[in-house]
Every structure is written in structure tokens, then in C-alpha cells.
Amino acid sequence: MEVAFMFDAGSLYQVSEKEGELISLPLECPIQSGADVACFSVEEFYFVERDSPLLLRRWRVSLDCKEYALPGPAQNVLVHRQKVYCCGKDSLFIFDPLAEEFETLGLQRGASELETLDNGFVFLDDNQEIYTYRFNNQCPKKVEVTRRGVRLLGRYSHHVIVLLDSNQIVCVNENGEVGEEIFSYAFTTPFISLSSGALLTVNEGGKICRYATDTTTPIISEIQGKDPKLLSVPSAKPEDSCLICFCDFEEGDGVTLDCGHRFHRDCLAEFSSRADGFRAKGEHVVFTYAVCPGGCGSEIRHAAAPLSEYMGRLRREINRDAESRLREMKNKTVEELLYYICCRCENPFYGGERRCFRSNNVEPVKKPCELICSECNDDFLCPYHKHNYVLYKCRYCCNPATHLSFGNRYLCNRCDERWETTEPEPIACPGPSECPLKGAHSTDGSIPLGCMICASFNAMHISLFSPF
């Protein structure tokens, strides 16, 4: 049986359906009228009272309240994925009940209303402008709409439903994209979603209405309140044991990630400590130990994982660079590009495309000191174009290179095709009469030939280049 709750004027009611009708059961609770309340489970609630904005209180049915000092005054309490969110003046306070500690996210603006999504949330600021916030971007993004937001109505199909001052409804996803045809219901009042997909809302007369998934005609109940707020019950139950070691939690030794998965603090720290192991090996950047070990693929973002901040910043830098490159590469994704860490500036740089038949085998051995980005590489510097258009000799033959692979392997088309499961063997220079470079080059791998923009191609014997 699906259960929800209604808080109204200091009274709490359990709402359920019986024989096609909604019924309510009053519960005795210590929550004062005017408090903002959120449901953590059918027996656990969190709230902030109007006259005590610096205290987050937890009430469990049949038990006394427990108080937690907030980092600042808060309002608008809601629960999402085993955490409690409280809106501050220009920050968001996120409480982890397992660790019994707060995290503060700076929003740079006030949040009058907030609604969570899978990997972030949507909020209205004090000027009624709509913003999205993704945990892995850590920066609010303004949603481009022509009117101001009046209210966040609820969450529906991975979108937050927003009522604008024109009485128009728009649907906003966590990327800040706006849709208008996702939500087909006609009401403009706040609602909650049930696990079955049905919606509960309160009509203008204060009565609770239930909309089934296959109809826009509601069942109107006789349950009525003065100023009711509907509370949904989270469908997922928190884990009782760590998903790494599978041992139970003891007081204060567990933490909850943004995705809701729970781990021992020490287990998570040990797991994520391997996140940058690719650096010492001279291998391409991977995020294997930077995502939740619970299997959901969400990015780890927690103080208990010291490398999570670095890995999050690294992912953002790579995504920014890849975005511009992918405009020129059809049908490619960021997962198909290889990035390495420069040994000098320690920034990520593009090191070629991922080739499945190569990457499935052992990556060519490289020392970290051999990986240098174009900004730091000084093997050849054009006085006008620096290192931006340097032409290299193929590492494996005398042709000019047309590809970059594995961060420091420059190779031509011919040698690119020769590289299947193992790195190709070098082709000996045929001598001055047949060598594209007239034999005037080092045989030690790739060497810079000059700037492609400024160089005299006659000097590089371009007419003798074999097809590459």
C-alpha cells in the first residue's frame, strides 16, 4: 500500500488509499505549526521550525526529537537519496544522517525554493530566476526563460516542473534545458510523486487529489487542510552495511554519497586513494576509482575521499577540451578520446583517439616525464605559432606524422594501419635517395620537422613524401 504524509497547521497525517479512496490517519507529533518538514522514512522526519532557524530537528515516531546545529539559518527542508537538504541565505546545507555532519555548498545567491534531481537540483533565487546546479560542475547555471519563476511544483520524469509568472508551466532538467510538453497535467499547485507513478496534489479548496498514471482526471478526496504540505516517502531504503566491505555501520563511521550509496569512511578513503594511479604509470586518465563503487556510476564527491576534488576538477577540464574537439569529430564521444597528465604543468592534454583493438592490450610503456603538453613542449618553438602547428616525423618510419596516439606516439597513416594488437616495428630509413627527408634525420623515434604554417615544404622535400 502506498503511503504519503500531510503536514498541516502543526498536525501530521498519514495518507493512504483504500478501496479507491484516500484516507488519512492523524499522528501525534511534536512539530509546531509553520515548520518546514521532510519525510526520511515512514517513521522518521526532519524539520526546521520558524522560530529556530539554526536547528535541524529529527523526529522518529515514538521517540524524542534530536537536534543538530545548522551552519546558518535555514528553511525549505527536503530529503533526497538518504540526505537532508536545507536552504540557507546563499548556501545549501546538506546533512548526512549516517555521519551526522553537514556539508555547505555555496550558491552565491539566495534560494527561496529548491527541488532535487538525479545529479543536482533546481532552485529559484530571491529574484525568482531559475537556476540549476550539478554536483560535478559545482557552479549554478541560469536557466534561460523569458518569464520569472513563481514556484517549483515538484519533480516529474527527471525534470522539475516550474510555474512561471505567466501561469505557464515549463519543465527543467539538470542541464538547464527547458521543455514544455513533458508535463500534461492541468493543475498548477505543488505535487508529490508516488512510487506507482501517481501524483498527489492539493486543489484550491485545500483537498487532496490523486492523479493516476493513465489519466488526467483526479480522484478528489474528502481530506482537507488549512495550509497543507504533502510529504512523499522515499522509495529507496538506506543500506545497513558498507557496499565495499559489507560490514555493518557503527556510530559515526559511515558516509553517504550524493547518489545515496553508503560506505565506511575508511573504506571509501582507501578505494578513492587509487584514483590517480595512472599518473605514476604514464597511462591515460581513467575515472575507475573516481566513481561510486556501488555500481551506479555517479561521481564521488566527498571530503572522505581526498582525491575526489582533484578528480572532479580533472573531469571538468577534460570535458571542456573535449567539447571543442568533438565538434570536428563526427559520431565521437569524450570516452573515445585519451587524455594524459603533463609532467610539467600537471594539466590534462589530448593524447589521441582511443582505438579499441589497441586499448584492450597493454598500453605502450611510457615514463611520466615523457608526457608533455603542447603548452610546455619546447622541442621546437615557432616564433609566431609556438608549438601549435609542429609537424613531427613518424616514430616508426620516415614519413611525416598524421596521428597522435597514447600521448607521445606520433605516427603516419601507414604505421597507424600497421598498429593492430601490438606496437609496429620501426621501418629502416631507405637512404637519402628515397627518404622523404633525404635521410637527414635522427632515427630515434619522433622528431619535430618544423611549423606546418611557416615552414618551407621544399626544404622538407615534400615532393618525395610517400602516401601518408
Side-chain angles (χ1 to χ4, degrees):
M1 180 177 65
E2 289 186 301
V3 173
F5 291 88
M6 179 180 75
F7 181 72
D8 181 47
S11 299
L12 185 66
Y13 302 87
Q14 179 179 295
V15 179
S16 58
E17 184 179 356
K18 183 178 181 181
E19 298 179 355
E21 293 186 1
L22 294 176
I23 59 174
S24 65
L25 176 67
L27 302 174
E28 291 188 9
C29 74
I31 308 174
Q32 296 180 7
S33 178
D36 203 84
V37 189
C39 175
F40 191 83
S41 70
V42 292
E43 295 185 340
E44 187 171 341
F45 300 83
Y46 286 84
F47 61 97
V48 173
E49 294 181 330
R50 190 176 298 169
D51 58 355
S52 303
L54 288 170
L55 289 177
L56 174 67
R57 291 183 169 94
R58 181 190 71 193
W59 173 62
R60 290 177 176 168
V61 176
S62 302
L63 295 175
D64 293 334
C65 287
K66 186 171 183 178
E67 297 179 347
Y68 302 94
L70 283 155
Q75 58 182 353
N76 292 345
V77 182
L78 66 155
V79 169
H80 180 61
R81 291 184 171 175
Q82 323 308 330
K83 289 188 176 184
V84 183
Y85 293 74
C86 307
C87 292
K89 182 178 180 181
D90 54 6
S91 301
L92 183 66
F93 308 127
I94 305 176
F95 179 69
D96 181 356
L98 181 62
E100 295 194 336
E101 60 187 18
F102 285 93
E103 175 195 8
T104 300
L105 287 183
L107 301 179
Q108 293 91 47
R109 52 187 46 81
S112 59
E113 291 189 36
L114 180 142
E115 185 66 53
T116 55
L117 285 169
D118 293 339
N119 300 298
F121 49 87
V122 174
F123 68 95
L124 285 180
D125 74 355
D126 294 335
N127 295 319
Q128 294 184 302
E129 292 182 319
I130 309 168
Y131 285 84
T132 61
Y133 186 104
R134 286 179 61 94
F135 290 124
N136 56 3
N137 288 340
Q138 299 185 359
C139 182
K141 176 183 177 182
K142 185 178 178 181
V143 178
E144 298 301 330
V145 290
T146 57
R147 306 301 295 256
R148 295 188 181 276
V150 173
R151 193 161 193 182
L152 305 183
L153 301 184
R155 174 178 171 173
Y156 181 82
S157 186
H158 305 290
H159 289 74
V160 171
I161 312 305
V162 185
L163 176 65
L164 303 181
D165 59 7
S166 60
N167 214 38
Q168 176 190 6
I169 285 178
V170 294
C171 309
V172 180
N173 66 17
E174 59 190 19
N175 295 318
E177 299 165 338
V178 178
E180 297 183 1
E181 300 180 358
I182 298 168
F183 191 74
S184 59
Y185 298 91
F187 59 82
T188 57
T189 51
F191 66 88
I192 60 172
S193 300
L194 303 178
S195 57
S196 65
L199 305 182
L200 289 185
T201 187
V202 178
N203 66 16
E204 293 181 357
K207 291 186 176 182
I208 296 180
C209 303
R210 182 183 187 275
Y211 289 80
T213 54
D214 56 351
T215 180
T216 56
T217 302
I219 298 174
I220 302 176
S221 73
E222 294 303 316
I223 304 173
Q224 189 170 12
K226 297 177 182 178
D227 185 23
K229 177 184 178 181
L230 296 174
L231 311 176
S232 60
V233 180
S235 56
K237 295 183 178 180
E239 295 98 356
D240 296 324
S241 59
C242 171
L243 290 178
I244 293 178
C245 70
F246 302 108
C247 295
D248 291 343
F249 296 110
E250 296 182 7
E251 186 174 356
D253 70 347
V255 296
T256 308
L257 299 185
D258 295 327
C259 56
H261 287 131
R262 294 174 152 193
F263 306 91
H264 283 122
R265 190 182 300 270
D266 292 343
C267 291
L268 182 65
E270 194 281 329
F271 175 86
S272 64
S273 68
R274 293 172 274 177
D276 66 345
F278 51 83
R279 298 183 61 173
K281 300 176 184 178
E283 296 179 349
H284 66 275
V285 176
V286 293
F287 294 96
T288 306
Y289 295 100
V291 296
C292 173
C296 65
S298 298
E299 184 177 321
I300 295 175
R301 189 193 62 86
H302 202 283
L307 284 174
S308 64
E309 183 177 354
Y310 167 74
M311 294 302 294
R313 185 172 65 252
L314 189 61
R315 187 192 292 269
R316 291 191 293 273
E317 291 175 1
I318 288 174
N319 286 341
R320 278 195 297 268
D321 183 84
E323 184 178 1
S324 60
R325 294 182 185 277
L326 292 173
R327 295 192 191 104
E328 308 297 327
M329 300 179 178
K330 294 183 178 180
N331 303 319
K332 296 286 184 181
T333 65
V334 65
E335 288 76 18
E336 297 176 81
L337 309 183
L338 298 181
Y339 281 84
Y340 294 82
I341 301 300
C342 174
C343 68
R344 296 183 182 177
C345 67
E346 298 190 345
N347 291 324
F349 70 93
Y350 173 68
E353 293 183 36
R354 182 189 299 272
R355 306 293 179 88
C356 292
F357 56 86
R358 295 178 192 168
S359 299
N360 287 340
N361 294 278
V362 178
E363 185 164 336
V365 176
K366 301 180 294 297
K367 296 178 181 178
C369 62
E370 296 174 344
L371 296 169
I372 306 173
C373 70
S374 61
E375 294 293 325
C376 297
N377 199 331
D378 54 5
D379 59 0
F380 178 87
L381 290 176
C382 171
Y384 302 104
H385 304 104
K386 304 301 180 184
H387 200 271
N388 294 328
Y389 302 100
V390 175
L391 178 67
Y392 282 88
K393 182 187 88 63
C394 175
R395 185 184 183 95
Y396 310 101
C397 72
C398 304
N399 282 336
T402 55
H403 296 272
L404 172 62
S405 190
F406 293 118
N408 70 344
R409 264 48 173 181
Y410 291 94
L411 61 163
C412 64
N413 279 355
R414 177 178 62 178
C415 294
D416 181 64
E417 293 175 359
R418 290 198 300 129
W419 193 335
E420 294 183 356
T421 57
T422 58
E423 192 168 4
E425 292 293 328
I427 298 174
C429 177
S433 61
E434 298 182 24
C435 174
L437 304 176
K438 291 294 186 181
H441 60 81
S442 167
T443 58
D444 185 19
S446 299
I447 56 172
L449 301 178
C451 175
M452 288 189 289
I453 303 298
C454 301
S456 167
F457 287 100
N458 289 331
M460 291 193 292
H461 312 288
I462 190 69
S463 60
L464 297 178
F465 284 165
S466 59
F468 59 89

